[in-house]
Amino acid sequence: MSDRRLRHADSAAFRNAMRALSSGVAIIASGEDEARAGCTAISLTSLSLAPPTLIVCLARSSSTLARLREAGAFSINLLAARHQALAHRFSGHGGVQGPRRFDTAQWLTLSTGAPVLADAIAAFDCLVEEVIERHSHAIVLGAVVSLKEGVDEPVLARRRGEYATFV
């Protein structure tokens, strides 16, 4: 390599290029009762099968991240195509904040007490294993302690800033 310093690509160009990637949509939720917080996320993946571990990336400024840190537990709820309005509600674009975001759906709890969407395609109940802060986001490792599988139906995805459906 030459003496040139490598620099990061332009942020706007990077964001636009990444929008070409289709991603499943999930709601990340944490807390109990009036102390609940949640957000829509597309930056998530499995890390390990043994032990079952998931990764989700949340903005460091997110109220959901703050609640997740306090509670030590969270859920990841994979959304069906029919959940598009709920995804929009939890994205923050609809103006609804805090525990009021949970009002239009049925929620239950599994092992940790984190809110779990009753009719999610799949829901993972996690303990916070580690939070790694990098740049504008935090990488959250979640140890899956229980899960709930729903019915097999078309999933909600996001691509180029729009919602899409995949069978």
Side-chain angles (χ1 to χ4, degrees):
M1 185 182 306
S2 71
D3 289 337
R4 292 180 298 181
R5 273 198 92 197
L6 297 179
R7 298 176 191 247
H8 288 281
D10 175 72
S11 294
F14 175 73
R15 180 180 186 166
N16 191 53
M18 286 303 298
R19 291 177 73 167
L21 178 65
S22 297
S23 299
V25 181
I27 292 175
I28 312 305
S30 187
E32 297 180 30
D33 301 320
E34 290 303 307
R36 290 182 293 181
C39 65
T40 302
I42 60 172
S43 296
L44 58 106
T45 191
S46 64
L47 173 66
S48 171
L49 291 175
T53 308
L54 293 169
I55 296 172
V56 64
C57 297
L58 299 172
R60 290 172 68 179
S61 61
S62 165
S63 61
T64 303
L65 178 61
R67 180 68 60 215
L68 177 151
R69 286 179 191 270
E70 291 171 10
F74 64 99
S75 67
I76 297 176
N77 304 275
L78 305 184
L79 302 183
R82 63 185 165 75
H83 290 126
Q84 183 173 333
L86 191 61
H88 184 73
R89 183 178 183 89
F90 274 82
S91 72
H93 295 297
V96 180
Q97 300 296 318
R100 289 186 28 234
R101 289 183 176 173
F102 293 82
D103 290 348
T104 61
Q106 184 178 10
W107 299 86
L108 51 90
T109 59
L110 299 177
S111 302
T112 70
V116 170
L117 182 61
D119 64 347
I121 290 179
F124 304 91
D125 193 22
C126 303
L127 290 173
V128 175
E129 187 173 295
E130 186 175 358
V131 178
I132 305 162
E133 293 190 10
R134 290 293 183 271
H135 311 297
S136 63
H137 281 65
I139 304 158
V140 181
L141 280 66
V144 179
V145 295
S146 59
L147 58 94
K148 180 183 178 305
E149 293 183 83
V151 297
D152 187 18
E153 61 182 298
V155 300
L156 185 62
R158 190 107 170 133
R159 183 173 187 273
R160 293 270 180 227
E162 300 292 329
Y163 289 111
T165 301
F166 291 104
V167 180

